[in-house]
Amino acid sequence: MKYGDGTLRGVFYYAGALIAALAIDGCATLGGGQSSAVLRAKNEVAPALVHIRPVKEVFTSGQREEVLIVGSGFIISPDGYVVTNEHVAGESRFVKCVLGDKNEVAAEVVGVDPYTDIALLKLDVGRPLPYVRLGDSDRIEAGELVMALGSPHGLARSVSLGIISVTDRYLEESQMGAEPYHNWIQTDAAINPGNSGGPLVNLRGEVIGVNAKVLRGAENVGFAIPINVARDVITQFKAHKRVRRAWLGLALQEMLATTDDPTQRGVVIADVDPLGPAEEAGVRPGDVLAAINDKPVHARFAEDLPALRQMMATLPIGESAHLTLQRGSETVAVTVVAEERSALKGEQVEFGEWGFTATDLTPAIARRAGLDARQGVLVSGTQPGSIARNAGLNNGDIILEMDNEPVTDLAGFREGYRARVEARRPLTLLFVKRGALTRFVLVEQDRELLPATPLEAITETE
Amino acid sequence: MTHNRLNSGTPPRVLCLLLCAALLIPAWHTAAQSFTQEALAELHAQVTPAIGIVRYALEVTNPNTGEITKRDNLALALIVSPDGLVMTHGHMVLENSQPFNIKVFLGRGDEEQEYEATLLKKPDDVNVVFLRLKSEERLRLPHVRFARGATLALGQPVALFGLLGDPLDYARGLIERRIGAILDKPRTTCCLDDAVRYGYVGGPVADAAGRVVGVIGFDLSRAEGGDLYVRSGHPLVYQTDLFQRYIDNPPSETEIETSGDHAWLGVFTQPLTDRFAEYWELPANGGLIISTVVAGSPATEAGLRAGDIIVEFDGTPIRAKLDRDVPGFTKLVREAGPGREVVVRVLRDGQPVDVTTVLGTRPRSAQEAGEYEAPQFGLTVRELTTDVRIALNLPENIEGVIVRRVKSGSVAQIARMRPGVVILRFGGHLVTNLADFQAAVEQVTADRPQEVVVFGRLGAATGFFRLEPRWDEP
């Protein structure tokens, strides 16, 4: 169950209290020692700071477009690995990086991970590059001075100063509603659009976080991904270009969701995915998970959940894991075989002749749509005035059949689509799912889409 | 000098204008029979005593979340019989909104009279609503008499009578309009040439002969295709023949229109357009393609399936080709009578197949759903009706009750419950329907535990809420 609004509201009130506290204390000024420490730390990181300009593929209103955006990043090794956000470098066609010496070089995207919003790039310039030192984000404290470096609103090489406001902010609504694998570092160092992917640096000149988001409408409430989270992801990217996570098909809730009794230990199973391995093993919502492979687990507060999810994600894929469950007064032991978690986002494709875009169904979308198995493709947009729009195809429709043949995935649909476009087949019948209902959609490829006729022309032909 | 010159220059022009006027006005006058000022004043005096105001509260249900909002509303009320039958516009009763606490105000100033009113069953085929004033004495009210058989022609001027707004203390006003268009589908319908203010909707329409020939309507009824015109800004004139029979024989009294008397097949359909017919190589005779068969409906039991094309229902040919033809079929089924055995002829793979089915009773809608309030938790829930299941895409096997309201500051709100959550368990008790929920609440209230754990579903996911009841509160 998502409580996004509540969480964000909580953050908002917290920010309000923080601002009030600062106002009472008056404006803080840095002593001479601190000021030179800030300068030293900045000088250590600044040469490795990267201004990133990716050209991204964006799908809007049934059309694929290429858009130039601006972000930030930092070099982590002399051989040119660069860390940034997935929302900066993901779905990009080309990525250009402007280095500390203002030279621009092309970068290769090594890996992107929407679950943590981390991406890894590789620069190849044939010479060793300056790089940052990574700190330990498990050893940070609220109140510590930090700097955010990056390109706010595209203004490269900008530095802002603040403190760590909270070390472990839990934001339930992460990307696309997936349950988060980490807490966030909250800071009041100014972070703006364009700072994304830039480093959050402590006074020792170590990178402790990757700046990634801000609370809109608030002042100086920014969030960074802890560098230890990024470090794990980077290791996986270097090993196999993607992050492999184990998936049991469980959603967790903190113990407080069902009891205020602090002696109760474990974590509440809030939801069991009907297509997941845990369902098959007989796990039920309301069970309390007490141990995984005999190792006790406990999450009294929501902030304790991401670490548990991360622990479950590292279970060996394809191997058995033993779960100890508390079901009422009974202790139940079950064995589950962890599957690999599927991609958070489906591939997106434009079908230009008919004027719409579609994407593969992710398991989350399939479940929301009430489909028992992976089938169909999801319409993600239709162009005004297009053949698809004329036929009555809607954004959000799931195409289940084309000319009575089941549509299983995007690749298969694409093939059938191509054949029909090339053969100029006049009529194609789609069977789509729209919410709880189904509907037939007739695509009329032979219907000419005329440009609007001026009134004069109509009069003349009479 | 200037003055003089101007004077000397004007006579020929004035003469010319007068001449034109002399030639034109009588001709125009006879052709279009416009209103004289005296005629308008006379009509106003005759008609406006029958115009009152209906004030009511409206409960509007959001079809997607089930959330209910309430608001106050008012509209023009037209007295159509001396004994207290009142006609008003049909938007008072819509699919997801239900009026209550209805009061009609007649007369003005010190003579204003307030009446409670009962809502009568809304007619299917015209978008008006009738009310019956409650009174212990026999009423003898000023009322409007409609002329029968009068037809309106394109370009004909009409006088409209209605209410001016609150700042003008709802003075009864008049305006003149023309018939700007006559539509021939789905039935002959006159449109005005320009918009009118809300206060005129439901008000009487008079022709230049001084006859009251109809009322201003918002829109067509649902059976006729619903809100085809509401967004065009051109109000419609409902002519007398459309509604007079309801004045002669008023509809029965009903609190809420119940679906219990309506038959149900359980299919969603779309029209067989000529292009669909071409695709399936069928004759272009129209029909209804079954697009969805509702689970657990008579249609499912009879073996009807998506893709079947209905061409005949209980002996009546179905020739739907356009979207607006669909409501006619819905009406046909609804009025066929629950429990009746009917034969539905469908085309399946191009071949006619006769399917015999016993019509069911239309399932209750969200509006008619039973509701239960548990004030100790600040929760109001409703039973899960078929329409809500469809709106929320809830599978058949999910049984529970749906949260409609969460009181601000309540125990439920603190636990982050919100409208739309489907409650599956309450305090350890399984909840499959409203009675279960009520029993669970009563049991929990008797036990007075410190915490009540609620298991619910929102969207496709499930989760828990922990309520901490404030038992000591009165």
Side-chain angles (χ1 to χ4, degrees):
Chain A
M1 207 129 298
K2 311 284 179 223
Y3 314 121
D5 279 358
T7 314
L8 284 181
R9 212 172 299 129
V11 173
F12 182 73
Y13 291 143
Y14 188 92
L18 195 75
I19 289 161
L22 281 177
I24 291 160
D25 285 350
C27 239
T29 50
L30 295 177
Q34 275 176 323
S35 181
S36 57
V38 167
L39 207 57
R40 269 200 309 277
K42 191 270 300 182
N43 286 339
E44 274 201 48
V45 178
L49 186 65
V50 177
H51 175 80
I52 304 183
R53 303 203 306 151
V55 172
K56 279 175 81 100
E57 265 187 332
V58 178
F59 293 82
T60 45
S61 311
Q63 245 174 321
R64 176 187 166 279
E65 281 173 41
E66 292 190 351
V67 181
L68 175 68
I69 65 153
V70 173
S72 311
F74 50 96
I75 305 169
I76 55 164
S77 60
D79 56 350
Y81 280 104
V82 174
V83 171
T84 183
N85 282 144
E86 184 274 339
H87 77 261
V88 173
E91 291 120 22
S92 57
R93 301 269 297 134
F94 325 95
V95 182
K96 292 257 172 140
C97 291
V98 181
L99 308 183
D101 61 7
K102 298 183 189 150
N103 279 313
E104 190 170 58
V105 289
E108 176 208 344
V109 179
V110 180
V112 292
D113 179 36
Y115 285 106
T116 53
D117 198 6
I118 292 290
L120 186 67
L121 313 178
K122 178 77 166 65
L123 305 173
D124 195 4
V125 291
R127 63 183 157 87
L129 289 166
Y131 61 97
V132 299
R133 270 186 300 128
L134 304 185
D136 181 355
S137 54
D138 288 339
R139 302 176 66 176
I140 55 172
E141 239 183 289
E144 229 180 283
L145 276 170
V146 286
M147 273 176 288
L149 280 75
S151 309
H153 297 283
L155 303 169
R157 293 172 282 117
S158 300
V159 185
S160 61
L161 181 68
I163 58 171
I164 294 175
S165 308
V166 176
T167 58
D168 61 343
R169 173 67 63 207
Y170 182 74
L171 300 178
E172 177 123 15
E173 293 288 345
S174 78
Q175 288 243 83
M176 304 166 79
E179 295 183 313
Y181 286 104
H182 63 84
N183 285 320
W184 296 77
I185 303 171
Q186 185 185 323
T187 178
D188 71 341
I191 292 177
N192 286 285
N195 272 110
S196 284
L200 189 71
V201 179
N202 65 16
L203 285 198
R204 288 188 294 280
E206 297 163 342
V207 175
I208 55 157
V210 183
N211 300 321
K213 53 169 116 189
V214 289
L215 184 58
R216 221 172 278 166
E219 279 193 39
N220 298 340
V221 181
F223 302 97
I225 303 150
I227 200 66
N228 291 3
V229 172
R231 196 187 268 118
D232 285 348
V233 171
I234 294 160
T235 311
Q236 294 217 48
F237 280 153
K238 286 186 179 170
H240 28 77
K241 293 207 164 191
R242 65 191 172 95
V243 183
R244 300 184 73 198
R245 290 188 177 86
W247 182 69
L248 303 179
L250 292 175
L252 308 178
Q253 250 183 308
E254 66 280 12
M255 289 303 285
L256 266 183
T258 56
T259 177
D260 193 24
D261 179 357
T263 64
Q264 300 277 327
R265 300 195 59 85
V267 61
V268 179
I269 306 292
D271 190 31
V272 182
D273 193 301
L275 301 178
E279 162 82 21
E280 206 171 305
V283 181
R284 299 182 204 159
D287 287 348
V288 172
L289 177 62
I292 302 174
N293 290 336
D294 298 325
K295 196 179 162 210
V297 292
H298 181 52
R300 176 158 157 78
F301 304 104
E303 286 82 354
D304 304 330
L305 293 173
L308 265 183
R309 292 193 191 110
Q310 180 56 29
M311 175 191 162
M312 288 163 81
T314 55
L315 290 171
I317 294 161
E319 288 180 30
S320 295
H322 304 285
L323 307 183
T324 311
L325 302 167
Q326 204 63 46
R327 185 172 294 163
S329 54
E330 213 185 323
T331 303
V332 182
V334 298
T335 302
V336 289
V337 179
E339 291 177 8
E340 180 171 351
R341 181 154 203 169
S342 58
L344 185 59
K345 298 180 187 175
E347 190 201 351
Q348 203 157 187
V349 170
E350 182 188 21
F351 297 94
E353 291 85 355
W354 291 4
F356 76 105
T357 56
T359 167
D360 255 330
L361 251 60
T362 62
I365 295 170
R367 188 178 171 198
R368 264 204 304 277
L371 296 172
D372 317 332
R374 202 173 136 172
Q375 51 172 326
V377 297
L378 176 74
V379 176
S380 53
T382 57
Q383 266 181 57
S386 64
I387 289 175
R389 184 75 73 93
N390 265 355
L393 199 65
N394 279 2
N395 194 1
D397 283 354
I398 295 170
I399 304 174
L400 298 175
E401 289 177 15
M402 173 154 54
D403 289 330
N404 301 320
E405 292 294 322
V407 170
T408 49
D409 58 11
L410 201 58
F413 179 76
R414 207 173 179 171
E415 214 173 282
Y417 167 84
R418 263 291 124 231
R420 282 160 181 80
V421 168
E422 275 157 25
R424 295 175 189 254
R425 184 187 291 209
L427 296 175
T428 301
L429 183 72
L430 304 178
F431 186 52
V432 305
K433 185 163 168 62
R434 183 174 298 169
L437 305 180
T438 45
R439 201 172 164 82
F440 293 96
V441 171
L442 194 62
V443 179
E444 300 170 63
Q445 227 178 177
D446 56 346
R447 184 145 133 196
E448 295 234 355
L449 299 173
L450 295 170
T453 320
L455 271 176
E456 294 80 13
I458 294 171
T459 333
E460 274 169 23
T461 51
E462 274 184 351
Chain B
M1 274 307 282
T2 318
H3 189 75
N4 277 345
R5 262 214 327 252
L6 259 177
N7 269 347
S8 64
T10 32
R13 208 177 293 167
V14 169
L15 206 70
C16 174
L17 278 174
L18 281 175
L19 200 70
C20 291
L23 285 171
L24 286 174
I25 288 170
W28 172 72
H29 189 76
T30 40
Q33 297 172 321
S34 188
F35 297 90
T36 62
Q37 184 261 324
E38 292 80 12
L40 284 174
E42 198 181 311
L43 270 167
H44 186 272
Q46 206 184 85
V47 167
T48 56
I51 295 177
I53 302 169
V54 53
R55 294 178 184 274
Y56 56 97
L58 201 60
E59 190 182 84
V60 183
T61 311
N62 179 331
N64 295 322
T65 62
E67 209 169 341
I68 290 173
T69 46
K70 291 181 182 175
R71 60 166 190 260
D72 290 322
N73 235 341
L74 64 84
L76 183 148
L78 190 63
I79 312 169
V80 292
S81 77
D83 58 349
L85 185 68
V86 170
M87 186 163 86
T88 184
H89 70 68
H91 280 32
M92 191 166 168
V93 180
L94 289 178
E95 199 172 3
N96 292 306
S97 62
Q98 191 62 35
F100 62 100
N101 197 16
I102 305 166
K103 292 199 166 96
V104 174
F105 297 82
L106 302 178
R108 300 201 58 217
D110 295 339
E111 296 188 359
E112 192 177 72
Q113 290 265 350
E114 178 182 332
Y115 296 91
E116 279 187 33
T118 311
L119 179 69
L120 306 186
K121 188 171 181 292
K122 185 179 176 180
D124 275 337
D125 51 358
V126 55
N127 195 24
V128 295
V129 162
F130 290 92
L131 307 171
R132 169 74 66 192
L133 301 188
K134 289 183 191 169
S135 170
E136 308 218 326
E137 303 151 28
R138 194 180 151 77
L139 292 169
R140 302 181 74 83
L141 298 169
H143 64 283
V144 168
R145 276 195 194 85
F146 291 96
R148 294 174 198 234
T151 50
L152 292 167
L154 189 69
Q156 189 176 337
V158 283
L160 321 177
F161 301 87
L163 301 169
L164 303 185
D166 181 41
L168 298 175
D169 196 24
Y170 301 105
R172 277 47 165 174
L174 70 87
I175 48 175
E176 199 180 322
R177 290 277 184 274
R178 279 172 191 277
I179 301 302
I182 297 180
L183 310 169
D184 53 355
K185 283 175 189 165
R187 60 166 163 77
T188 307
T189 303
C190 294
C191 288
L192 294 183
D193 61 342
D194 201 358
V196 296
R197 289 183 175 274
Y198 176 73
Y200 283 87
V201 178
V205 176
D207 68 4
R211 298 176 299 180
V212 181
V213 293
V215 293
I216 295 300
F218 251 141
D219 233 321
L220 298 179
S221 66
R222 234 176 95 75
E224 294 166 317
D227 62 340
L228 286 171
Y229 303 109
V230 78
R231 284 159 295 184
S232 72
H234 288 272
L236 312 176
V237 178
Y238 296 155
Q239 295 180 69
T240 309
D241 297 342
L242 262 178
F243 54 78
Q244 183 64 42
R245 63 178 178 283
Y246 295 110
I247 297 176
D248 299 340
N249 293 299
S252 58
E253 287 192 13
T254 169
E255 289 301 314
I256 294 174
E257 190 185 339
T258 58
S259 48
D261 324 328
H262 293 160
W264 186 54
L265 181 60
V267 292
F268 285 81
T269 59
Q270 54 191 109
L272 182 77
T273 62
D274 290 352
R275 287 319 300 269
F276 270 114
E278 183 188 333
Y279 178 86
W280 278 308
E281 295 173 355
L282 298 170
N285 292 338
L288 283 169
I289 310 164
I290 297 181
S291 53
T292 305
V293 180
V294 179
S297 67
T300 313
E301 276 178 35
L304 287 172
R305 47 193 198 225
D308 285 352
I309 298 157
I310 303 175
V311 290
E312 207 179 292
F313 176 83
D314 198 18
T316 308
I318 305 294
R319 303 200 183 283
K321 285 191 174 191
L322 300 169
D323 281 336
R324 66 165 178 248
D325 300 334
V326 177
F329 173 71
T330 311
K331 189 169 177 247
L332 194 66
V333 175
R334 209 169 51 196
E335 290 172 359
R340 255 204 49 219
E341 193 178 89
V342 292
V343 176
V344 183
R345 173 167 293 179
V346 297
L347 300 179
R348 183 174 291 165
D349 303 321
Q351 298 305 311
V353 178
D354 281 345
V355 177
T356 306
T357 175
V358 177
L359 294 176
T361 304
R362 183 162 286 268
R364 297 209 285 174
S365 67
Q367 265 179 44
E368 304 163 67
E371 195 172 284
Y372 179 75
E373 187 181 354
Q376 58 274 53
F377 305 110
L379 269 179
T380 306
V381 304
R382 275 192 173 180
E383 64 179 314
L384 276 176
T385 47
T386 306
D387 53 347
V388 169
R389 280 183 186 284
I390 290 170
L392 299 181
N393 196 5
L394 269 184
E396 275 301 298
N397 59 356
I398 303 295
E399 290 185 306
V401 294
I402 186 164
V403 176
R404 316 301 282 207
R405 283 188 290 278
V406 175
K407 200 163 174 256
S408 178
S410 68
V411 168
Q413 195 198 32
I414 291 169
R416 291 160 164 170
M417 292 199 72
R418 55 186 189 219
V421 170
V422 176
I423 297 178
L424 306 170
R425 275 179 173 275
F426 190 86
H429 305 276
L430 188 68
V431 174
T432 60
N433 54 37
L434 207 57
D436 283 354
F437 180 75
Q438 187 173 346
V441 167
E442 282 165 4
Q443 187 59 52
V444 165
T445 306
D447 296 346
R448 293 165 72 101
Q450 271 190 321
E451 316 179 312
V452 180
V453 176
V454 181
F455 179 53
R457 178 179 164 116
L458 190 59
T462 56
F464 292 89
F465 303 91
R466 185 167 55 89
L467 310 181
E468 293 180 284
R470 304 187 283 251
W471 298 119
D472 299 335
E473 272 187 11

